[in-house]
Amino acid sequence: GLRLFGVTGTGVTGGLFVNGTTTISGATNEGMYLSSNNGSFSFGDTTVTNPMGTGIFATGNTGSITFGKTVVDKSASAGTGVDLVSNMATVTFSDLAITTMVGDGLLVTDTTNVIVQNTTGMSTIDVTDGRAVDIQSSGIDMIFGAISGEGGNAGFDGIRIADSSGSFTVTGTAAKPDGGTLANYGIHGVLVDNFMGDISLNHMAIANVALNGIFLDNVTGTTVLNDIMVDTAGGSGVVLT
């Protein structure tokens, strides 16, 4: 395998292919930083543990980026797990598990296509004091086994998907809340706004959110809400407009 303490690839026009395991621990900035690359990047199984900055940050790339089974563990350092910004490329994770202590889980903005598979059943997000998922103006094809977030009553949604297209699924396993719990968010538990594609949320619990448990506005594909428990502090359980 390959052990790296902070990975930076800037202005690369060829490619980088790592067939073995990538392990990054205690980086003083981002765990992995990929910026403005025209070439393709491919990593095998990847583990990023407690960097001081974002776990994996990719911006301005036009070449594809592919990860095997990926674990981002920020349980002992504040900040975002994975942040993908303005990539005119496809970013793929065969599995993606994110844990944060104080910070957001998965952020995706202005990226052509982000694929999260659940190949081995380990694709999960678990955040404290942050947004679990925030996706804006992007194409997505994502499957998670469970997504949990504790928002600390801050003014954002647990999961937000806006102005995007594709598919987003939380499978759960058998019964709520094994698909995850979203609690103590200052707006909605789940907000999906102007989305062209399919949404499937299964076996989830949403508790103590300021407005609505699930708010779906202008979703043009198929929506499945299966075995969902909602206990809101303010608005309605589920709103479809």
Side-chain angles (χ1 to χ4, degrees):
L2 179 64
R3 185 172 177 82
L4 304 168
F5 291 88
V7 177
T8 302
T10 302
V12 176
T13 58
L16 174 65
F17 302 91
V18 179
N19 293 321
T21 299
T22 301
T23 302
I24 302 163
S25 180
T28 57
N29 40 51
E30 293 87 359
M32 301 183 75
Y33 177 84
L34 303 172
S35 174
S36 305
N37 299 297
N38 297 318
S40 296
F41 285 77
S42 179
F43 299 90
D45 291 352
T46 301
T47 300
V48 179
T49 305
N50 293 320
M52 296 300 292
T54 297
I56 298 174
F57 180 67
T59 183
N61 298 286
T62 56
S64 63
I65 304 172
T66 302
F67 293 90
K69 182 171 65 177
T70 302
V71 176
V72 178
D73 181 358
K74 286 183 60 65
S75 58
S77 64
T80 298
V82 176
D83 192 1
L84 310 174
V85 181
S86 300
N87 299 286
M88 295 181 62
T90 296
V91 182
T92 302
F93 299 88
S94 69
D95 291 270
L96 178 61
I98 300 172
T99 303
T100 69
M101 178 184 65
V102 180
D104 300 322
L106 174 62
L107 307 181
V108 180
T109 307
D110 294 321
T111 292
T112 300
N113 192 26
V114 179
I115 300 171
V116 177
Q117 300 165 329
N118 195 24
T119 305
T120 66
M122 60 157 282
S123 288
T124 59
I125 296 176
D126 189 356
V127 306
T128 302
D129 287 340
R131 297 168 288 182
V133 175
D134 193 288
I135 298 166
Q136 300 182 59
S137 304
S138 298
I140 60 172
D141 181 2
M142 297 183 176
I143 302 174
F144 288 94
I147 296 177
S148 293
E150 208 296 328
N153 297 310
F156 41 69
D157 308 291
I159 296 173
R160 179 174 69 160
I161 303 171
D163 302 318
S164 297
S165 63
S167 65
F168 185 87
T169 298
V170 178
T171 63
T173 304
K176 60 182 175 291
D178 61 27
T181 299
L182 302 171
N184 301 317
Y185 284 96
I187 307 182
H188 307 289
V190 177
L191 169 65
V192 183
D193 181 27
N194 193 27
F195 183 73
M196 183 180 296
D198 300 331
I199 299 290
S200 180
L201 304 177
N202 301 273
H203 310 305
M204 298 187 72
I206 300 171
N208 193 33
V209 294
L211 296 181
N212 304 295
I214 299 174
F215 188 91
L216 306 180
D217 180 32
N218 193 27
V219 177
T220 58
T222 299
T223 298
V224 175
L225 303 176
N226 173 45
D227 190 28
I228 305 293
M229 180 180 71
V230 178
D231 180 10
T232 71
S236 301
V238 177
V239 177
L240 308 177
T241 64

PDB file of all heavy atoms in Angstrom, residues 67 92-97 114-124 141-145:
ATOM      1  N   PHE A  67     -12.443   6.343  -6.030  1.00  0.00           N
ATOM      2  CA  PHE A  67     -11.978   5.795  -4.759  1.00  0.00           C
ATOM      3  C   PHE A  67     -12.577   4.408  -4.562  1.00  0.00           C
ATOM      4  O   PHE A  67     -13.731   4.161  -4.922  1.00  0.00           O
ATOM      5  CB  PHE A  67     -12.412   6.663  -3.579  1.00  0.00           C
ATOM      6  CG  PHE A  67     -11.774   8.023  -3.526  1.00  0.00           C
ATOM      7  CD1 PHE A  67     -12.374   9.110  -4.160  1.00  0.00           C
ATOM      8  CD2 PHE A  67     -10.602   8.235  -2.828  1.00  0.00           C
ATOM      9  CE1 PHE A  67     -11.801  10.372  -4.104  1.00  0.00           C
ATOM     10  CE2 PHE A  67     -10.017   9.487  -2.757  1.00  0.00           C
ATOM     11  CZ  PHE A  67     -10.617  10.550  -3.403  1.00  0.00           C
ATOM     12  N   THR A  92     -16.262   9.088  -7.894  1.00  0.00           N
ATOM     13  CA  THR A  92     -16.901   7.822  -7.531  1.00  0.00           C
ATOM     14  C   THR A  92     -16.284   7.244  -6.263  1.00  0.00           C
ATOM     15  O   THR A  92     -15.055   7.205  -6.130  1.00  0.00           O
ATOM     16  CB  THR A  92     -16.762   6.797  -8.669  1.00  0.00           C
ATOM     17  OG1 THR A  92     -17.337   7.325  -9.866  1.00  0.00           O
ATOM     18  CG2 THR A  92     -17.471   5.498  -8.316  1.00  0.00           C
ATOM     19  N   PHE A  93     -17.138   6.779  -5.360  1.00  0.00           N
ATOM     20  CA  PHE A  93     -16.719   6.033  -4.175  1.00  0.00           C
ATOM     21  C   PHE A  93     -17.410   4.674  -4.218  1.00  0.00           C
ATOM     22  O   PHE A  93     -18.643   4.610  -4.296  1.00  0.00           O
ATOM     23  CB  PHE A  93     -17.133   6.751  -2.890  1.00  0.00           C
ATOM     24  CG  PHE A  93     -16.543   8.122  -2.709  1.00  0.00           C
ATOM     25  CD1 PHE A  93     -17.180   9.240  -3.226  1.00  0.00           C
ATOM     26  CD2 PHE A  93     -15.358   8.297  -2.002  1.00  0.00           C
ATOM     27  CE1 PHE A  93     -16.647  10.515  -3.054  1.00  0.00           C
ATOM     28  CE2 PHE A  93     -14.817   9.556  -1.815  1.00  0.00           C
ATOM     29  CZ  PHE A  93     -15.462  10.676  -2.346  1.00  0.00           C
ATOM     30  N   SER A  94     -16.648   3.588  -4.122  1.00  0.00           N
ATOM     31  CA  SER A  94     -17.307   2.277  -4.093  1.00  0.00           C
ATOM     32  C   SER A  94     -18.065   2.085  -2.793  1.00  0.00           C
ATOM     33  O   SER A  94     -19.110   1.430  -2.754  1.00  0.00           O
ATOM     34  CB  SER A  94     -16.294   1.155  -4.297  1.00  0.00           C
ATOM     35  OG  SER A  94     -15.435   1.023  -3.192  1.00  0.00           O
ATOM     36  N   ASP A  95     -17.536   2.632  -1.699  1.00  0.00           N
ATOM     37  CA  ASP A  95     -18.220   2.768  -0.414  1.00  0.00           C
ATOM     38  C   ASP A  95     -17.687   4.045   0.218  1.00  0.00           C
ATOM     39  O   ASP A  95     -16.522   4.407   0.004  1.00  0.00           O
ATOM     40  CB  ASP A  95     -17.916   1.603   0.535  1.00  0.00           C
ATOM     41  CG  ASP A  95     -18.526   0.299   0.091  1.00  0.00           C
ATOM     42  OD1 ASP A  95     -19.676   0.016   0.478  1.00  0.00           O
ATOM     43  OD2 ASP A  95     -17.839  -0.443  -0.638  1.00  0.00           O
ATOM     44  N   LEU A  96     -18.515   4.706   1.008  1.00  0.00           N
ATOM     45  CA  LEU A  96     -18.078   5.938   1.664  1.00  0.00           C
ATOM     46  C   LEU A  96     -18.664   5.996   3.069  1.00  0.00           C
ATOM     47  O   LEU A  96     -19.890   6.055   3.242  1.00  0.00           O
ATOM     48  CB  LEU A  96     -18.515   7.170   0.871  1.00  0.00           C
ATOM     49  CG  LEU A  96     -18.168   8.533   1.479  1.00  0.00           C
ATOM     50  CD1 LEU A  96     -16.660   8.702   1.629  1.00  0.00           C
ATOM     51  CD2 LEU A  96     -18.758   9.658   0.627  1.00  0.00           C
ATOM     52  N   ALA A  97     -17.787   5.984   4.069  1.00  0.00           N
ATOM     53  CA  ALA A  97     -18.201   6.107   5.472  1.00  0.00           C
ATOM     54  C   ALA A  97     -17.559   7.354   6.055  1.00  0.00           C
ATOM     55  O   ALA A  97     -16.340   7.513   6.022  1.00  0.00           O
ATOM     56  CB  ALA A  97     -17.782   4.878   6.270  1.00  0.00           C
ATOM     57  N   VAL A 114     -21.535  12.774  -8.944  1.00  0.00           N
ATOM     58  CA  VAL A 114     -20.932  12.130  -7.784  1.00  0.00           C
ATOM     59  C   VAL A 114     -21.674  10.823  -7.539  1.00  0.00           C
ATOM     60  O   VAL A 114     -22.889  10.808  -7.348  1.00  0.00           O
ATOM     61  CB  VAL A 114     -20.995  13.017  -6.528  1.00  0.00           C
ATOM     62  CG1 VAL A 114     -20.362  12.293  -5.341  1.00  0.00           C
ATOM     63  CG2 VAL A 114     -20.294  14.341  -6.780  1.00  0.00           C
ATOM     64  N   ILE A 115     -20.914   9.729  -7.552  1.00  0.00           N
ATOM     65  CA  ILE A 115     -21.472   8.398  -7.363  1.00  0.00           C
ATOM     66  C   ILE A 115     -20.989   7.850  -6.031  1.00  0.00           C
ATOM     67  O   ILE A 115     -19.787   7.793  -5.776  1.00  0.00           O
ATOM     68  CB  ILE A 115     -21.044   7.454  -8.499  1.00  0.00           C
ATOM     69  CG1 ILE A 115     -21.541   7.984  -9.859  1.00  0.00           C
ATOM     70  CG2 ILE A 115     -21.574   6.039  -8.253  1.00  0.00           C
ATOM     71  CD1 ILE A 115     -20.977   7.227 -11.050  1.00  0.00           C
ATOM     72  N   VAL A 116     -21.932   7.477  -5.178  1.00  0.00           N
ATOM     73  CA  VAL A 116     -21.609   6.767  -3.940  1.00  0.00           C
ATOM     74  C   VAL A 116     -22.339   5.440  -3.985  1.00  0.00           C
ATOM     75  O   VAL A 116     -23.573   5.397  -3.961  1.00  0.00           O
ATOM     76  CB  VAL A 116     -22.007   7.559  -2.683  1.00  0.00           C
ATOM     77  CG1 VAL A 116     -21.706   6.728  -1.432  1.00  0.00           C
ATOM     78  CG2 VAL A 116     -21.290   8.895  -2.620  1.00  0.00           C
ATOM     79  N   GLN A 117     -21.574   4.374  -4.074  1.00  0.00           N
ATOM     80  CA  GLN A 117     -22.158   3.042  -4.046  1.00  0.00           C
ATOM     81  C   GLN A 117     -22.153   2.528  -2.603  1.00  0.00           C
ATOM     82  O   GLN A 117     -21.586   3.149  -1.714  1.00  0.00           O
ATOM     83  CB  GLN A 117     -21.362   2.114  -4.968  1.00  0.00           C
ATOM     84  CG  GLN A 117     -21.351   2.602  -6.420  1.00  0.00           C
ATOM     85  CD  GLN A 117     -20.300   1.917  -7.262  1.00  0.00           C
ATOM     86  OE1 GLN A 117     -19.248   1.524  -6.767  1.00  0.00           O
ATOM     87  NE2 GLN A 117     -20.590   1.782  -8.553  1.00  0.00           N
ATOM     88  N   ASN A 118     -22.796   1.412  -2.423  1.00  0.00           N
ATOM     89  CA  ASN A 118     -22.823   0.776  -1.098  1.00  0.00           C
ATOM     90  C   ASN A 118     -22.407  -0.681  -1.278  1.00  0.00           C
ATOM     91  O   ASN A 118     -23.095  -1.605  -0.884  1.00  0.00           O
ATOM     92  CB  ASN A 118     -24.212   0.903  -0.489  1.00  0.00           C
ATOM     93  CG  ASN A 118     -24.236   0.596   0.993  1.00  0.00           C
ATOM     94  OD1 ASN A 118     -23.226   0.708   1.684  1.00  0.00           O
ATOM     95  ND2 ASN A 118     -25.398   0.200   1.488  1.00  0.00           N
ATOM     96  N   THR A 119     -21.234  -0.832  -1.887  1.00  0.00           N
ATOM     97  CA  THR A 119     -20.812  -2.139  -2.377  1.00  0.00           C
ATOM     98  C   THR A 119     -20.708  -3.172  -1.274  1.00  0.00           C
ATOM     99  O   THR A 119     -21.131  -4.322  -1.427  1.00  0.00           O
ATOM    100  CB  THR A 119     -19.457  -2.010  -3.100  1.00  0.00           C
ATOM    101  OG1 THR A 119     -19.586  -1.017  -4.128  1.00  0.00           O
ATOM    102  CG2 THR A 119     -19.041  -3.329  -3.717  1.00  0.00           C
ATOM    103  N   THR A 120     -20.130  -2.796  -0.136  1.00  0.00           N
ATOM    104  CA  THR A 120     -19.965  -3.730   0.971  1.00  0.00           C
ATOM    105  C   THR A 120     -20.912  -3.432   2.127  1.00  0.00           C
ATOM    106  O   THR A 120     -20.788  -4.031   3.195  1.00  0.00           O
ATOM    107  CB  THR A 120     -18.510  -3.708   1.488  1.00  0.00           C
ATOM    108  OG1 THR A 120     -18.230  -2.428   2.076  1.00  0.00           O
ATOM    109  CG2 THR A 120     -17.521  -3.973   0.369  1.00  0.00           C
ATOM    110  N   GLY A 121     -21.829  -2.500   1.937  1.00  0.00           N
ATOM    111  CA  GLY A 121     -22.795  -2.162   2.971  1.00  0.00           C
ATOM    112  C   GLY A 121     -22.274  -1.222   4.033  1.00  0.00           C
ATOM    113  O   GLY A 121     -22.898  -1.070   5.092  1.00  0.00           O
ATOM    114  N   MET A 122     -21.129  -0.556   3.783  1.00  0.00           N
ATOM    115  CA  MET A 122     -20.548   0.309   4.812  1.00  0.00           C
ATOM    116  C   MET A 122     -20.732   1.794   4.534  1.00  0.00           C
ATOM    117  O   MET A 122     -20.198   2.621   5.270  1.00  0.00           O
ATOM    118  CB  MET A 122     -19.051   0.012   4.968  1.00  0.00           C
ATOM    119  CG  MET A 122     -18.238   0.237   3.725  1.00  0.00           C
ATOM    120  SD  MET A 122     -16.480   0.523   4.053  1.00  0.00           S
ATOM    121  CE  MET A 122     -16.518   2.236   4.577  1.00  0.00           C
ATOM    122  N   SER A 123     -21.499   2.162   3.512  1.00  0.00           N
ATOM    123  CA  SER A 123     -21.682   3.582   3.196  1.00  0.00           C
ATOM    124  C   SER A 123     -22.632   4.216   4.208  1.00  0.00           C
ATOM    125  O   SER A 123     -23.847   4.004   4.160  1.00  0.00           O
ATOM    126  CB  SER A 123     -22.204   3.764   1.770  1.00  0.00           C
ATOM    127  OG  SER A 123     -21.191   3.483   0.829  1.00  0.00           O
ATOM    128  N   THR A 124     -22.065   4.997   5.119  1.00  0.00           N
ATOM    129  CA  THR A 124     -22.842   5.632   6.177  1.00  0.00           C
ATOM    130  C   THR A 124     -22.270   7.023   6.447  1.00  0.00           C
ATOM    131  O   THR A 124     -21.113   7.299   6.160  1.00  0.00           O
ATOM    132  CB  THR A 124     -22.800   4.821   7.484  1.00  0.00           C
ATOM    133  OG1 THR A 124     -21.433   4.686   7.902  1.00  0.00           O
ATOM    134  CG2 THR A 124     -23.416   3.447   7.305  1.00  0.00           C
ATOM    135  N   ASP A 141     -25.673  10.129  -7.881  1.00  0.00           N
ATOM    136  CA  ASP A 141     -26.201   8.766  -7.868  1.00  0.00           C
ATOM    137  C   ASP A 141     -25.660   8.145  -6.590  1.00  0.00           C
ATOM    138  O   ASP A 141     -24.555   7.595  -6.559  1.00  0.00           O
ATOM    139  CB  ASP A 141     -25.743   8.000  -9.109  1.00  0.00           C
ATOM    140  CG  ASP A 141     -26.293   6.579  -9.149  1.00  0.00           C
ATOM    141  OD1 ASP A 141     -27.055   6.211  -8.231  1.00  0.00           O
ATOM    142  OD2 ASP A 141     -25.951   5.842 -10.087  1.00  0.00           O
ATOM    143  N   MET A 142     -26.414   8.225  -5.500  1.00  0.00           N
ATOM    144  CA  MET A 142     -25.898   7.907  -4.173  1.00  0.00           C
ATOM    145  C   MET A 142     -26.782   6.895  -3.462  1.00  0.00           C
ATOM    146  O   MET A 142     -28.004   7.011  -3.458  1.00  0.00           O
ATOM    147  CB  MET A 142     -25.814   9.167  -3.311  1.00  0.00           C
ATOM    148  CG  MET A 142     -24.867  10.225  -3.834  1.00  0.00           C
ATOM    149  SD  MET A 142     -24.777  11.637  -2.701  1.00  0.00           S
ATOM    150  CE  MET A 142     -23.527  12.627  -3.522  1.00  0.00           C
ATOM    151  N   ILE A 143     -26.118   5.913  -2.840  1.00  0.00           N
ATOM    152  CA  ILE A 143     -26.799   4.933  -1.992  1.00  0.00           C
ATOM    153  C   ILE A 143     -26.060   4.861  -0.661  1.00  0.00           C
ATOM    154  O   ILE A 143     -24.853   4.569  -0.630  1.00  0.00           O
ATOM    155  CB  ILE A 143     -26.822   3.549  -2.645  1.00  0.00           C
ATOM    156  CG1 ILE A 143     -27.507   3.588  -4.006  1.00  0.00           C
ATOM    157  CG2 ILE A 143     -27.535   2.550  -1.722  1.00  0.00           C
ATOM    158  CD1 ILE A 143     -27.420   2.275  -4.759  1.00  0.00           C
ATOM    159  N   PHE A 144     -26.757   5.137   0.411  1.00  0.00           N
ATOM    160  CA  PHE A 144     -26.210   5.014   1.759  1.00  0.00           C
ATOM    161  C   PHE A 144     -27.041   4.004   2.550  1.00  0.00           C
ATOM    162  O   PHE A 144     -28.260   3.942   2.404  1.00  0.00           O
ATOM    163  CB  PHE A 144     -26.226   6.351   2.486  1.00  0.00           C
ATOM    164  CG  PHE A 144     -25.223   7.342   1.982  1.00  0.00           C
ATOM    165  CD1 PHE A 144     -25.577   8.282   1.030  1.00  0.00           C
ATOM    166  CD2 PHE A 144     -23.917   7.328   2.442  1.00  0.00           C
ATOM    167  CE1 PHE A 144     -24.648   9.199   0.546  1.00  0.00           C
ATOM    168  CE2 PHE A 144     -22.975   8.227   1.976  1.00  0.00           C
ATOM    169  CZ  PHE A 144     -23.335   9.172   1.027  1.00  0.00           C
ATOM    170  N   GLY A 145     -26.367   3.265   3.420  1.00  0.00           N
ATOM    171  CA  GLY A 145     -27.094   2.381   4.312  1.00  0.00           C
ATOM    172  C   GLY A 145     -27.790   3.145   5.416  1.00  0.00           C
ATOM    173  O   GLY A 145     -28.918   2.820   5.803  1.00  0.00           O
TER     174      GLY A 145
END
